[in-house]
Amino acid sequence: MGYVDDQFSQLHKLQDESSPDFVVEVASLFFDDAEKLINSMARALEQPCVDFKQVDSHVHQLKGSSSSIGALRVKNVCIAFRSFCDAQNREGCMRCLQQVSHEYTMLKSKLQTLFRMEQQILAAGGSVPLE
Amino acid sequence: MTVEHVNGDQFPSGLRVLAVDDDPTCLLLLETLLRRCQYHVTTTSQAITALKLLRENKNKFDLVISDVHMPDMDGFKLLELVGLEMDLPVIMLSGNGDPKLVMKGITHGACDYLLKPVRIEELKNIWQHVVRRKKIDAKDQNNSDNQDKPHNGSGQAEGMGNSDQNGKLNKKRKDQNEDEDDEDDEDDHNHEDPTTQKKPRVVWSVELHRKFVAAVNQLGIDKAVPKKILDLMNVEKLTRENVASHLQKYRLYLKRISCVANQQANMVAALGSSDPSYLRMSSVNGLGNYHTVGGPGQFQNSTFRSFPASGMLGRLNAPAGLGMHGLPSSGMIPMRHAQNSDNTTNDQGKFHPALLPGSHSGNILQGMPTSLELDQLQLNKNITSISELPNTKDNTTFHVSSGFPDARIGFGRSTNPLLDVNNNPLFLEGHPQEAHSNKMFGNQSLMSLNSGSSSRLPDHGRCNDNWSSAVQSSGIQPNSFSLGGDYKQPTLHPGHLRDNLSTMALPIGNSPCDVSSLHPLSNRFQDPKADLQFQAVQDAPCRSNVMFSPLNSAVSINGDVGPLGQCLDTNKTFFHRSNEFDSLGQSNFVDHFSMKINEVQRSSMQASSNLKEGYLMGQQKTQGSYISTSVDSLEDLFMSSMVKEEQDKVLVPEGNFGCSSYS
């Protein structure tokens, strides 16, 4: 399964002269936001008495933003994560949290690599194809 | 908003959108997408900020897009507030596509519900919501060509969502009938300089509508032309176009009422409450209407006709946000009734003859408006008595609006066969004996008729009929709440209704109508509660309609008629009603009618309870969320309405909501 889905290419389509760094901007926002959410989830799950609603709310948000950016794998983990929250299954939630964190880290590093490469191409005078 | 300056290539560019989402990623994405569609975008991550921006200048934005899950305020709450205060179209956005949530959005009055990740194709279409709304407003300014060509004026897409009434929103619009009175300037017809491009939306308040109805009645429905109506109304800043558009809607309403009446028991016709505006109109003319009603013979036919009109009013009002505020003009009502009676008679045949003794005809007609509404409600219950109801309605309506307390009483009693409870077992309403507070109006009226004369009921064998009559008598029946929806009705018949819970599905849709009628009724009935109810109803006319409508459809007999006002106010009323209903069932005619009604009500109540939630939500929105108030005991409704009345003075245009649903 790919790390990003079609939504990601949709983002690219939105990038133009008026917003030349749109994709990078959105991705950066996503990274910041995701990290905050993951940390909040971790904190919530560490509590002796876990507030699953709170955790679920964080997961929901992460799901929304990951789907907006096209982070497919992260989103899928979030879906599973939510059902564990509904079931108030702490173990399951912890596992999902780890998975989410893992997927997120992978995604971030890949995207950053991608962006770096794109910048290099652009700096060298080339252009980056949309597809 | 440049929608009006449609420039082929540019339209709908320049649409001013306010985007609210706490997720920065989504917000940025949304903003970019919207800019790509050439809209003007303002973003904020806080709902509170969004409200502040909107309140600062209502005309600064054309559309609001909001996320559902936000930390500082629930998206639905924001939706309601925006719908109420600013009457702007709102689109919901969420990562969760659960139909229940989508439904919730609709009932709170959302124009649309998008799922994340949002696609640009979807955003390219959002302008339609703005245009649709503007069209509704613009209709008021159409020339009078329309007046003779009924189009689907009732198709106003209230933000409803229901209404939501949506709401309707609903918004509830509810509109949500809804507690919110986004029409804070409802009494201002044109709050802006008419020469500005963006013509101010004319709010057909209860008062205004009443005048309108009075004028129409005075002229005669066939001869009523916008110019003359406008002159008669003598309202500043109201243009002929506004009147023309309103008239058109009104006619559609009447037509619809008549159709409904045909299908349903007379009750519906009688009550004609479906259209509060209608009622109002009737009430205004109150006495005058009687004339229009014509003789008993005519009455029947005419009454039916009149109903449709009233029904229309509800609808008419709804879009225009007139809501049912206005007290049903007595004038209108009678007319309506007459029309309804025709319809009803046709259908039921019993309608008139039984109830309307010659003299009554006048009343009946008046009551008709309610019946019109009833028709909508599906009073199939053979509400022969419905015709009677109209009387009651009239009485009520008149009282309410026209303040002809005396007249009303007379009507109810003497003139309206229906009303004269004494004479007609069917008449529930008019009869002070019933002393049932208004609560029951809609349904009760029928019931009361039955109950009042409980012994009589069996005679008439009209349990069904009674319903209709009751419903009709309730006159107040807000829009087509067929029995079930009578919420409004109850208000009309202060006395009878109470016991009769006959939830004659008075078309509650017209809640506003009922409200108005309530007042007068209270006088009549000497029932303190009735008074209260009326008042409450009056205030909340708008709401009731909205609320009831859905119920009506759901429960034909809900008989919750309860005061309209109450409906608006809250869900409480609805709830109450259901409670009472049960108890009511025990009242008088419980034997026959109550049984029926109870059954109906129960079923409706159940149905409505489901709806209730929806409505409640809608109500708040006033966006037309018709909250299917379950069959709450009318009494409670009244009481609550009374209480609420003070709180909610705002008439919500929910009437629209309700009306639409009727149609």
Side-chain angles (χ1 to χ4, degrees), chain B residues 443-475:
Chain B
N443 302 323
Q444 300 186 345
S445 39
L446 289 175
M447 309 259 310
S448 51
L449 285 179
N450 298 322
S451 55
S453 44
S454 50
S455 54
R456 302 214 226 159
L457 285 181
D459 300 338
H460 297 276
R462 312 209 225 192
C463 296
N464 300 331
D465 297 343
N466 290 331
W467 272 37
S468 39
S469 44
V471 174
Q472 300 186 346
S473 16
S474 349

mmCIF file of all heavy atoms in Angstrom, chain B residues 443-475:
data_model
loop_
_atom_site.group_PDB
_atom_site.id
_atom_site.type_symbol
_atom_site.label_atom_id
_atom_site.label_comp_id
_atom_site.label_asym_id
_atom_site.label_seq_id
_atom_site.Cartn_x
_atom_site.Cartn_y
_atom_site.Cartn_z
ATOM 1 N N ASN B 443 -55.600 19.057 17.675
ATOM 2 C CA ASN B 443 -56.143 17.723 17.749
ATOM 3 C C ASN B 443 -57.290 17.732 18.661
ATOM 4 O O ASN B 443 -58.281 17.075 18.476
ATOM 5 C CB ASN B 443 -55.080 16.823 18.316
ATOM 6 C CG ASN B 443 -53.916 16.945 17.393
ATOM 7 O OD1 ASN B 443 -54.128 17.047 16.212
ATOM 8 N ND2 ASN B 443 -52.730 16.987 17.903
ATOM 9 N N GLN B 444 -57.081 18.470 19.583
ATOM 10 C CA GLN B 444 -58.094 18.442 20.572
ATOM 11 C C GLN B 444 -59.371 18.955 20.056
ATOM 12 O O GLN B 444 -60.419 18.522 20.441
ATOM 13 C CB GLN B 444 -57.644 19.286 21.712
ATOM 14 C CG GLN B 444 -56.364 18.674 22.191
ATOM 15 C CD GLN B 444 -55.946 19.351 23.395
ATOM 16 O OE1 GLN B 444 -56.457 20.395 23.664
ATOM 17 N NE2 GLN B 444 -55.061 18.752 24.102
ATOM 18 N N SER B 445 -59.222 19.869 19.300
ATOM 19 C CA SER B 445 -60.482 20.438 18.898
ATOM 20 C C SER B 445 -61.341 19.326 18.390
ATOM 21 O O SER B 445 -62.503 19.215 18.682
ATOM 22 C CB SER B 445 -60.273 21.462 17.810
ATOM 23 O OG SER B 445 -59.297 21.012 16.943
ATOM 24 N N LEU B 446 -60.725 18.538 17.701
ATOM 25 C CA LEU B 446 -61.544 17.470 17.200
ATOM 26 C C LEU B 446 -61.959 16.636 18.358
ATOM 27 O O LEU B 446 -63.079 16.249 18.523
ATOM 28 C CB LEU B 446 -60.713 16.622 16.264
ATOM 29 C CG LEU B 446 -60.461 17.393 14.985
ATOM 30 C CD1 LEU B 446 -59.546 16.610 14.107
ATOM 31 C CD2 LEU B 446 -61.781 17.617 14.315
ATOM 32 N N MET B 447 -61.038 16.427 19.073
ATOM 33 C CA MET B 447 -61.317 15.571 20.164
ATOM 34 C C MET B 447 -62.308 16.222 21.052
ATOM 35 O O MET B 447 -63.253 15.650 21.496
ATOM 36 C CB MET B 447 -60.049 15.347 20.945
ATOM 37 C CG MET B 447 -58.950 14.932 20.053
ATOM 38 S SD MET B 447 -58.649 13.228 20.108
ATOM 39 C CE MET B 447 -58.533 12.901 21.749
ATOM 40 N N SER B 448 -62.038 17.393 21.271
ATOM 41 C CA SER B 448 -62.930 18.046 22.199
ATOM 42 C C SER B 448 -64.315 17.969 21.656
ATOM 43 O O SER B 448 -65.267 17.781 22.368
ATOM 44 C CB SER B 448 -62.516 19.485 22.400
ATOM 45 O OG SER B 448 -62.375 20.086 21.154
ATOM 46 N N LEU B 449 -64.333 18.097 20.446
ATOM 47 C CA LEU B 449 -65.667 18.018 19.913
ATOM 48 C C LEU B 449 -66.228 16.714 20.371
ATOM 49 O O LEU B 449 -67.325 16.595 20.837
ATOM 50 C CB LEU B 449 -65.613 18.022 18.394
ATOM 51 C CG LEU B 449 -65.307 19.389 17.852
ATOM 52 C CD1 LEU B 449 -65.252 19.321 16.365
ATOM 53 C CD2 LEU B 449 -66.367 20.332 18.316
ATOM 54 N N ASN B 450 -65.430 15.858 20.201
ATOM 55 C CA ASN B 450 -65.903 14.548 20.589
ATOM 56 C C ASN B 450 -66.034 14.466 22.073
ATOM 57 O O ASN B 450 -67.013 14.019 22.621
ATOM 58 C CB ASN B 450 -64.889 13.512 20.144
ATOM 59 C CG ASN B 450 -64.801 13.579 18.657
ATOM 60 O OD1 ASN B 450 -65.811 13.765 18.022
ATOM 61 N ND2 ASN B 450 -63.624 13.462 18.124
ATOM 62 N N SER B 451 -65.035 14.897 22.614
ATOM 63 C CA SER B 451 -65.059 14.748 24.060
ATOM 64 C C SER B 451 -66.105 15.627 24.652
ATOM 65 O O SER B 451 -66.877 15.244 25.503
ATOM 66 C CB SER B 451 -63.718 15.132 24.628
ATOM 67 O OG SER B 451 -63.425 16.422 24.191
ATOM 68 N N GLY B 452 -66.076 16.782 24.157
ATOM 69 C CA GLY B 452 -67.011 17.705 24.759
ATOM 70 C C GLY B 452 -68.339 17.032 24.823
ATOM 71 O O GLY B 452 -69.021 16.964 25.824
ATOM 72 N N SER B 453 -68.607 16.527 23.766
ATOM 73 C CA SER B 453 -69.909 15.926 23.761
ATOM 74 C C SER B 453 -69.747 14.458 23.831
ATOM 75 O O SER B 453 -70.514 13.716 23.306
ATOM 76 C CB SER B 453 -70.563 16.283 22.469
ATOM 77 O OG SER B 453 -69.636 16.119 21.470
ATOM 78 N N SER B 454 -68.777 14.151 24.421
ATOM 79 C CA SER B 454 -68.406 12.748 24.360
ATOM 80 C C SER B 454 -69.575 11.855 24.093
ATOM 81 O O SER B 454 -69.517 10.934 23.314
ATOM 82 C CB SER B 454 -67.753 12.330 25.661
ATOM 83 O OG SER B 454 -68.572 12.731 26.704
ATOM 84 N N SER B 455 -70.532 12.153 24.676
ATOM 85 C CA SER B 455 -71.676 11.286 24.408
ATOM 86 C C SER B 455 -72.035 11.436 22.962
ATOM 87 O O SER B 455 -72.471 10.506 22.316
ATOM 88 C CB SER B 455 -72.839 11.704 25.274
ATOM 89 O OG SER B 455 -73.058 13.078 25.044
ATOM 90 N N ARG B 456 -71.858 12.577 22.548
ATOM 91 C CA ARG B 456 -72.258 12.803 21.189
ATOM 92 C C ARG B 456 -71.375 12.114 20.219
ATOM 93 O O ARG B 456 -71.761 11.726 19.175
ATOM 94 C CB ARG B 456 -72.189 14.254 20.887
ATOM 95 C CG ARG B 456 -73.022 14.909 21.807
ATOM 96 C CD ARG B 456 -73.657 16.038 21.254
ATOM 97 N NE ARG B 456 -73.451 17.032 22.283
ATOM 98 C CZ ARG B 456 -73.498 18.269 22.141
ATOM 99 N NH1 ARG B 456 -73.706 18.729 21.055
ATOM 100 N NH2 ARG B 456 -73.306 19.054 23.094
ATOM 101 N N LEU B 457 -70.262 12.049 20.582
ATOM 102 C CA LEU B 457 -69.359 11.515 19.590
ATOM 103 C C LEU B 457 -69.862 10.222 19.030
ATOM 104 O O LEU B 457 -69.899 10.003 17.853
ATOM 105 C CB LEU B 457 -67.999 11.274 20.208
ATOM 106 C CG LEU B 457 -67.285 12.576 20.412
ATOM 107 C CD1 LEU B 457 -65.958 12.293 21.001
ATOM 108 C CD2 LEU B 457 -67.132 13.251 19.086
ATOM 109 N N PRO B 458 -70.147 9.449 19.865
ATOM 110 C CA PRO B 458 -70.554 8.166 19.327
ATOM 111 C C PRO B 458 -71.674 8.372 18.347
ATOM 112 O O PRO B 458 -71.769 7.709 17.331
ATOM 113 C CB PRO B 458 -71.052 7.392 20.531
ATOM 114 C CG PRO B 458 -70.605 8.158 21.702
ATOM 115 C CD PRO B 458 -70.225 9.528 21.269
ATOM 116 N N ASP B 459 -72.431 9.328 18.665
ATOM 117 C CA ASP B 459 -73.530 9.557 17.759
ATOM 118 C C ASP B 459 -73.017 9.875 16.396
ATOM 119 O O ASP B 459 -73.445 9.330 15.408
ATOM 120 C CB ASP B 459 -74.348 10.768 18.245
ATOM 121 C CG ASP B 459 -74.868 10.491 19.615
ATOM 122 O OD1 ASP B 459 -74.966 9.316 19.959
ATOM 123 O OD2 ASP B 459 -75.157 11.456 20.326
ATOM 124 N N HIS B 460 -72.137 10.709 16.464
ATOM 125 C CA HIS B 460 -71.670 11.138 15.164
ATOM 126 C C HIS B 460 -70.879 10.050 14.526
ATOM 127 O O HIS B 460 -70.675 10.000 13.355
ATOM 128 C CB HIS B 460 -70.790 12.360 15.298
ATOM 129 C CG HIS B 460 -71.557 13.483 15.853
ATOM 130 N ND1 HIS B 460 -72.312 14.275 15.060
ATOM 131 C CD2 HIS B 460 -71.716 13.892 17.104
ATOM 132 C CE1 HIS B 460 -72.891 15.166 15.832
ATOM 133 N NE2 HIS B 460 -72.545 14.960 17.067
ATOM 134 N N GLY B 461 -70.448 9.309 15.369
ATOM 135 C CA GLY B 461 -69.677 8.226 14.800
ATOM 136 C C GLY B 461 -68.552 8.840 14.049
ATOM 137 O O GLY B 461 -68.085 8.367 13.050
ATOM 138 N N ARG B 462 -68.317 9.968 14.504
ATOM 139 C CA ARG B 462 -67.316 10.549 13.738
ATOM 140 C C ARG B 462 -65.994 10.501 14.357
ATOM 141 O O ARG B 462 -65.265 11.321 14.190
ATOM 142 C CB ARG B 462 -67.544 11.975 13.622
ATOM 143 C CG ARG B 462 -68.724 12.203 13.304
ATOM 144 C CD ARG B 462 -68.863 13.259 12.658
ATOM 145 N NE ARG B 462 -69.968 13.891 13.228
ATOM 146 C CZ ARG B 462 -70.545 14.815 12.779
ATOM 147 N NH1 ARG B 462 -70.155 15.174 11.942
ATOM 148 N NH2 ARG B 462 -71.512 15.371 13.198
ATOM 149 N N CYS B 463 -65.751 9.700 15.059
ATOM 150 C CA CYS B 463 -64.461 9.794 15.676
ATOM 151 C C CYS B 463 -63.498 10.305 14.675
ATOM 152 O O CYS B 463 -62.744 11.194 14.901
ATOM 153 C CB CYS B 463 -64.012 8.438 16.155
ATOM 154 S SG CYS B 463 -65.088 7.852 17.396
ATOM 155 N N ASN B 464 -63.616 9.778 13.646
ATOM 156 C CA ASN B 464 -62.731 10.263 12.620
ATOM 157 C C ASN B 464 -63.067 11.680 12.285
ATOM 158 O O ASN B 464 -62.229 12.523 12.178
ATOM 159 C CB ASN B 464 -62.903 9.435 11.353
ATOM 160 C CG ASN B 464 -62.566 8.017 11.666
ATOM 161 O OD1 ASN B 464 -61.760 7.796 12.540
ATOM 162 N ND2 ASN B 464 -63.181 7.092 10.998
ATOM 163 N N ASP B 465 -64.289 11.814 12.155
ATOM 164 C CA ASP B 465 -64.696 13.137 11.762
ATOM 165 C C ASP B 465 -64.288 14.115 12.798
ATOM 166 O O ASP B 465 -63.824 15.190 12.518
ATOM 167 C CB ASP B 465 -66.211 13.189 11.627
ATOM 168 C CG ASP B 465 -66.635 12.248 10.541
ATOM 169 O OD1 ASP B 465 -65.761 11.862 9.749
ATOM 170 O OD2 ASP B 465 -67.811 11.900 10.497
ATOM 171 N N ASN B 466 -64.543 13.703 13.906
ATOM 172 C CA ASN B 466 -64.245 14.650 14.952
ATOM 173 C C ASN B 466 -62.842 15.107 14.826
ATOM 174 O O ASN B 466 -62.498 16.223 15.040
ATOM 175 C CB ASN B 466 -64.446 13.994 16.303
ATOM 176 C CG ASN B 466 -65.906 13.775 16.505
ATOM 177 O OD1 ASN B 466 -66.689 14.527 15.980
ATOM 178 N ND2 ASN B 466 -66.262 12.758 17.225
ATOM 179 N N TRP B 467 -62.161 14.202 14.496
ATOM 180 C CA TRP B 467 -60.788 14.598 14.381
ATOM 181 C C TRP B 467 -60.651 15.705 13.433
ATOM 182 O O TRP B 467 -60.067 16.697 13.696
ATOM 183 C CB TRP B 467 -60.032 13.428 13.847
ATOM 184 C CG TRP B 467 -59.627 12.657 14.964
ATOM 185 C CD1 TRP B 467 -60.333 12.448 16.086
ATOM 186 C CD2 TRP B 467 -58.415 12.051 15.140
ATOM 187 N NE1 TRP B 467 -59.621 11.741 16.930
ATOM 188 C CE2 TRP B 467 -58.439 11.465 16.371
ATOM 189 C CE3 TRP B 467 -57.306 11.940 14.338
ATOM 190 C CZ2 TRP B 467 -57.371 10.779 16.837
ATOM 191 C CZ3 TRP B 467 -56.266 11.238 14.803
ATOM 192 C CH2 TRP B 467 -56.301 10.667 16.048
ATOM 193 N N SER B 468 -61.219 15.433 12.374
ATOM 194 C CA SER B 468 -61.030 16.470 11.389
ATOM 195 C C SER B 468 -61.650 17.731 11.888
ATOM 196 O O SER B 468 -61.085 18.787 11.795
ATOM 197 C CB SER B 468 -61.661 16.065 10.080
ATOM 198 O OG SER B 468 -62.857 15.402 10.348
ATOM 199 N N SER B 469 -62.779 17.572 12.413
ATOM 200 C CA SER B 469 -63.393 18.803 12.854
ATOM 201 C C SER B 469 -62.560 19.394 13.936
ATOM 202 O O SER B 469 -62.301 20.561 13.974
ATOM 203 C CB SER B 469 -64.793 18.549 13.360
ATOM 204 O OG SER B 469 -64.768 17.405 14.173
ATOM 205 N N ALA B 470 -62.183 18.552 14.741
ATOM 206 C CA ALA B 470 -61.394 19.097 15.824
ATOM 207 C C ALA B 470 -60.207 19.789 15.234
ATOM 208 O O ALA B 470 -59.859 20.886 15.566
ATOM 209 C CB ALA B 470 -60.935 17.978 16.726
ATOM 210 N N VAL B 471 -59.730 19.086 14.391
ATOM 211 C CA VAL B 471 -58.542 19.682 13.824
ATOM 212 C C VAL B 471 -58.895 20.993 13.226
ATOM 213 O O VAL B 471 -58.246 21.982 13.394
ATOM 214 C CB VAL B 471 -57.997 18.799 12.711
ATOM 215 C CG1 VAL B 471 -56.856 19.491 12.049
ATOM 216 C CG2 VAL B 471 -57.574 17.497 13.330
ATOM 217 N N GLN B 472 -59.916 20.899 12.558
ATOM 218 C CA GLN B 472 -60.271 22.110 11.900
ATOM 219 C C GLN B 472 -60.615 23.170 12.872
ATOM 220 O O GLN B 472 -60.236 24.294 12.745
ATOM 221 C CB GLN B 472 -61.442 21.850 11.005
ATOM 222 C CG GLN B 472 -61.015 20.805 10.031
ATOM 223 C CD GLN B 472 -62.056 20.606 9.046
ATOM 224 O OE1 GLN B 472 -63.163 21.061 9.263
ATOM 225 N NE2 GLN B 472 -61.720 19.954 7.987
ATOM 226 N N SER B 473 -61.356 22.766 13.777
ATOM 227 C CA SER B 473 -61.746 23.828 14.666
ATOM 228 C C SER B 473 -60.516 24.437 15.220
ATOM 229 O O SER B 473 -60.420 25.602 15.397
ATOM 230 C CB SER B 473 -62.601 23.322 15.782
ATOM 231 O OG SER B 473 -62.497 21.962 15.887
ATOM 232 N N SER B 474 -59.660 23.599 15.424
ATOM 233 C CA SER B 474 -58.511 24.226 16.010
ATOM 234 C C SER B 474 -58.118 25.296 15.089
ATOM 235 O O SER B 474 -57.479 26.234 15.434
ATOM 236 C CB SER B 474 -57.369 23.290 16.142
ATOM 237 O OG SER B 474 -57.737 22.043 15.910
ATOM 238 N N GLY B 475 -58.549 25.074 13.970
ATOM 239 C CA GLY B 475 -58.309 26.149 13.074
ATOM 240 C C GLY B 475 -56.879 26.536 13.126
ATOM 241 O O GLY B 475 -56.263 26.915 12.197
#
